[in-house]
């Protein structure tokens, strides 16, 4: 809808502006002000009325049509105010062609229509939002599945032909086509896009799997338990759709101001008509006074007050890594009192890393890490990658390993410089019957209390080192929590991880509220619970499991490196994958709203000054606002509003100016 309106306003603006040029050139008022003249020719006196009629019919009619719903709802707003002004100016100007009046409003009429078309074109371009969250969710489901026949063969069938009880083969790296139970095989399945669990979940016979999740290295035979609309993924899709539809309609500030101004203008016009009729008599002068009041009641500035700020706000946000998809949410960000963060991939890196290590006295930490990296050099397991990355971060030279072997459920082994070296978890120590030194045992106990995984390094049967593994907390997360607290905003965390893991992260960061072991539908419910407490809630996430919560929240904020569905479900996207931009978002929202308020004051202030003068309150002392001077003041208010909107570009979003935030990077100004 917004895209269609945007193109309509754009097209009508350019055509109407082109048709307005002759009206402006042949306006006697503008010729007198600017000191120029244009050649007259037979029939040139009809240029103004003819072209003005065309502009009104082409550029003004959309406003009249959009005013009808406002009038039916008895809620006059911007469209009603615009329609009143252009209609009165149009009728009065046409009447001036046939009846003697002081002046006509042809040039005011066409410029008013042109500026309003421009303002609404800018507005529609800023608010256009083509959300495709449900399409992105649907893409997670494979189109086909490999169904196992009674003869033991496989046949490729469309997913929608699967039925409960069918047996399907899920090959390594393939998507699970339906909810079901593993009947044979074992593998690690990546469920992070559905449950938010940061580590792949081991699946074996009897375990449940979810449609849309990604199988790891092993093959699985899955007995289908639910298909189509009964799957977990389909449930998430329904939640996203319901949450999108539940968004309340927030009235725009300018519309409210226009509604107030409509009643003020009508009231002032009625008082003017009565007062002038009583003071003099009902004649053309009285009609001219009333028309002047009604026309100047709709300043050009009010039509541009909000759209100009929105356009600059959007540009400034984009230059600083924030893509604004919903301007109402951008305005609401200034009032957030609670912001919920997804843990995995938002506050944390979303992948395992070495967060601590210890060794026996005779072994150097770098040597131990080099040995572990050598043994893990041929493995693609996430723990192996974490060990190799830790060695790379320390610029450690890794020796070559030979005879690599994966020991199922225990770890890996290889020969390094003629020595047999093992890397694995507690089950490896049981198999090797290795003694655990007391300080390594204490290290493992502390890691367990912090919900960290411990991996051991064994050389020639002797335990020589232990590594603590965890989903690494982003460096920026510490600063963003502190900064939000300084702004008086409560910080909460939602995660599908265990309570121990969630508490460990929350304690480390100083988070106020923790929701752990939360299923996708519960994330949506948790957001609703906070909203029911009267809180304005922002949600920051990056996964499919966050989509319902993102759309339910008052302001949904997606980490740009997250899944497409999370991005499409959000109101604001953080392109740079940096949670500290949430603080920038709040600051920019506050600054933008101040500019909107200032512009409304400037635009409405013009009316506070001009309407009484147009009505003739100072006529007894010889001061009477003419239509021409009223039009000049109208133009001046437009210029002031435009300049004030441009000052938003000077807002400083650099990190040193944010409370509680260190200055690692600089913000960018808008073009």
């Amino acid at each position: 809808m917004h895209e269609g309106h945007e193109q309509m306003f754009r097209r009508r603006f350019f055509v109407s502006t082109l048709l307005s040029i002759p009206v402006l050139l042949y306006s006697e008022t503008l010729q007198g002000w600017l000191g120029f003249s244009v050649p007259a020719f037979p029939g040139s006196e009809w240029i103004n009325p003819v072209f003005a009629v065309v502009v009104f019919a082409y550029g003004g009619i959309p406003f009249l049509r959009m005013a009808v719903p406002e009038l039916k709802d008895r809620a006059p707003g911007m469209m009603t105010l615009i329609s009143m002004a252009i209609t009165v100016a149009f009728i009065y100007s046409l009447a001036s062609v046939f009846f003697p009046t002081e002046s006509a409003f042809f040039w005011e009429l066409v410029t008013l229509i042109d500026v309003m078309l421009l303002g609404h074109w800018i507005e529609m371009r800023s608010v256009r939002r083509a959300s495709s969250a449900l399409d992105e969710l649907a893409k997670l489901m494979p189109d086909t599945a490999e169904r196992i026949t009674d003869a033991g063969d496989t046949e490729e069938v469309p997913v929608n032909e699967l039925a409960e009880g069918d047996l399907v083969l899920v090959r390594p790296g393939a998507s699970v086509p339906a909810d079901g139970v593993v009947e044979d095989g074992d593998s690690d399945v990546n469920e992070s896009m559905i449950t938010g669990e940061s580590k792949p979940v081991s699946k074996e016979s009897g375990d449940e799997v979810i449609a849309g999740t990604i199988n790891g290295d092993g093959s699985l035979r899955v007995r289908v338990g639910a298909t189509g609309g009964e799957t977990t993924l389909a449930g998430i899709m329904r939640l996203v759709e319901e949450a999108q539809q539940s968004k309340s309609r927030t009235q725009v500030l300018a519309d409210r101001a226009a509604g107030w101004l409509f009643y003020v203008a009508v009231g002032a016009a009625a008082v003017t008509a009565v007062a002038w009729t009583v003071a003099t008599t009902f004649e053309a002068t009285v009609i001219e006074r009333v028309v002047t009041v009604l026309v100047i009641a709709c300043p050009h500035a009010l039509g541009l007050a909000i759209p100009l700020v929105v356009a600059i706000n959007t540009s400034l946000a984009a230059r600083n890594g924030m893509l604004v998809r919903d301007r109402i949410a951008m305005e609401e960000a200034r009032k957030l009192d609670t912001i919920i963060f997804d843990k995995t991939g938002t506050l944390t890196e979303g992948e395992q890393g070495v967060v601590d290590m210890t060794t026996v006295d005779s072994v150097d930490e770098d040597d131990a890490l080099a040995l572990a990296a050598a043994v893990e050099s041929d493995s693609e397991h996430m723990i192996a990658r974490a060990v190799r990355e830790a060695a790379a971060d320390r610029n450690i030279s890794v020796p070559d390993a030979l005879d690599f072997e994966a020991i199922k459920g225990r770890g890996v082994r290889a020969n390094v410089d003629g020595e047999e070296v093992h890397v694995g978890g507690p089950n490896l120590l049981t198999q090797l019957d290795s003694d655990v030194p007391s300080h390594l045992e204490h290290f493992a106990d502390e890691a367990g209390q912090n919900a960290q995984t411990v991996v051991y390094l064994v050389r020639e049967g002797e335990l020589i080192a232990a590594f603590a593994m965890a989903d690494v907390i982003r460096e920026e997360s510490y600063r963003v929590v502190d900064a939000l607290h300084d702004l008086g905003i409560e910080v909460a965390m939602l995660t599908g991880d265990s309570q121990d893991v969630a508490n460990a992260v929350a304690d480390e960061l100083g988070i106020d509220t923790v929701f752990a072991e939360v299923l996708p539908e519960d994330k949506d419910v948790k957001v609703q619970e906070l909203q029911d407490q009267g809180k304005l809630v922002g949600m920051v996430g990056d996964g499919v499991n966050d989509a319902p919560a993102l759309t339910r929240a008052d302001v949904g904020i997606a980490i740009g490196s997250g899944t497409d569905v999370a991005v499409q479900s959000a109101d604001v996207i953080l392109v740079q994958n940096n949670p500290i931009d949430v603080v920038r978002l709040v600051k920019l929202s506050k600054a933008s709203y101040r500019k909107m308020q200032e512009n409304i004051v400037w635009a409405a202030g013009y009316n506070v000054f001009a309407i009484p003068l147009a009505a003739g309150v100072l006529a007894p002392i010889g001061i009477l606002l003419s239509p021409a001077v009223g039009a000049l003041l109208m133009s001046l208010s437009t210029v002031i509003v435009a300049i004030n909107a441009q000052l938003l570009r000077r807002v400083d979003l650099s990190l040193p100016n944010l409370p509680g935030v260190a200055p690692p990077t600089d913000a960018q100004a808008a073009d």
Side-chain angles (χ1 to χ4, degrees), residues 42-121:
S44 62
E45 68 274 11
W46 291 99
I47 288 180
N48 276 5
V50 170
F51 278 87
V53 166
V54 175
V55 171
F56 177 81
Y58 183 70
I61 290 300
F63 297 110
L64 301 182
R65 290 173 178 167
M66 288 185 285
V68 173
E70 293 182 355
L71 294 174
K72 285 183 177 179
D73 294 339
R74 298 181 181 180
M78 179 66 76
M79 296 304 170
T80 305
L81 190 59
I82 295 173
S83 298
M84 179 185 69
I86 63 177
T87 301
V88 170
F90 176 69
I91 295 174
Y92 178 79
S93 298
L94 280 186
S96 70
V97 176
F98 305 101
F99 303 99
T101 59
E102 179 180 330
S103 62
F105 288 126
F106 285 123
W107 79 269
E108 294 95 329
L109 170 65
V110 297
T111 54
L112 180 59
I113 291 175
D114 293 342
V115 171
M116 290 305 164
L117 287 171
L118 174 62
H120 283 77
W121 171 30

Side-chain angles (χ1 to χ4, degrees), residues 345-362:
T346 304
L347 292 176
T348 67
E349 297 288 354
E351 57 186 29
Q352 295 291 305
V354 177
V355 295
D356 199 4
M357 66 178 295
T358 188
T359 65
V360 297
D361 294 338
S362 59

Side-chain angles (χ1 to χ4, degrees), residues 133-315:
L134 298 180
D135 291 339
E136 296 297 334
L137 276 169
K139 289 178 183 178
L140 291 177
M141 288 294 295
D143 296 325
T144 61
E146 290 190 67
R147 183 167 58 191
I148 300 175
T149 66
D150 293 338
D153 299 325
T154 60
E155 58 178 355
E156 188 173 285
V157 297
V159 169
N160 57 15
E161 290 187 8
L162 291 178
E164 185 176 350
D166 283 348
L167 186 64
V168 295
L169 173 65
V170 184
R171 297 184 184 276
S175 296
V176 177
D179 288 4
V181 177
V182 176
E183 193 161 290
D184 185 36
D186 60 83
S187 182
D188 291 335
V189 177
N190 183 356
E191 296 184 343
S192 62
M193 72 288 294
I194 300 294
T195 66
E197 174 61 52
S198 56
K199 295 185 291 186
V201 180
S202 178
K203 299 292 183 180
E204 56 187 22
S205 181
D207 291 335
E208 295 183 352
V209 291
I210 303 172
T213 54
I214 309 299
N215 187 23
D217 297 333
S219 292
L220 298 175
R221 282 171 170 75
V222 176
R223 184 69 65 179
V224 175
T227 61
E230 301 301 319
T231 63
T232 301
L233 183 58
I236 295 177
M237 293 175 68
R238 284 192 295 272
L239 284 172
V240 172
E241 186 173 23
E242 291 170 5
Q244 286 176 332
Q245 293 173 350
S246 71
K247 287 278 193 179
S248 61
R249 178 181 179 273
T250 304
Q251 190 176 23
V252 181
L253 183 60
D255 286 334
R256 294 200 298 268
W260 301 330
L261 191 54
F262 171 80
Y263 291 114
V264 170
V266 172
V271 171
T272 300
V274 172
W276 277 84
T277 300
V278 171
T280 58
T281 184
F282 185 78
E283 55 185 2
T285 303
V286 176
I287 297 176
E288 186 173 283
R289 286 295 98 208
V290 172
V291 169
T292 302
V293 169
L294 292 176
V295 170
I296 69 174
C298 183
H300 299 59
L302 193 58
L304 290 176
I306 302 302
L308 280 176
V309 175
V310 170
I312 295 171
N313 168 292
T314 303
S315 172

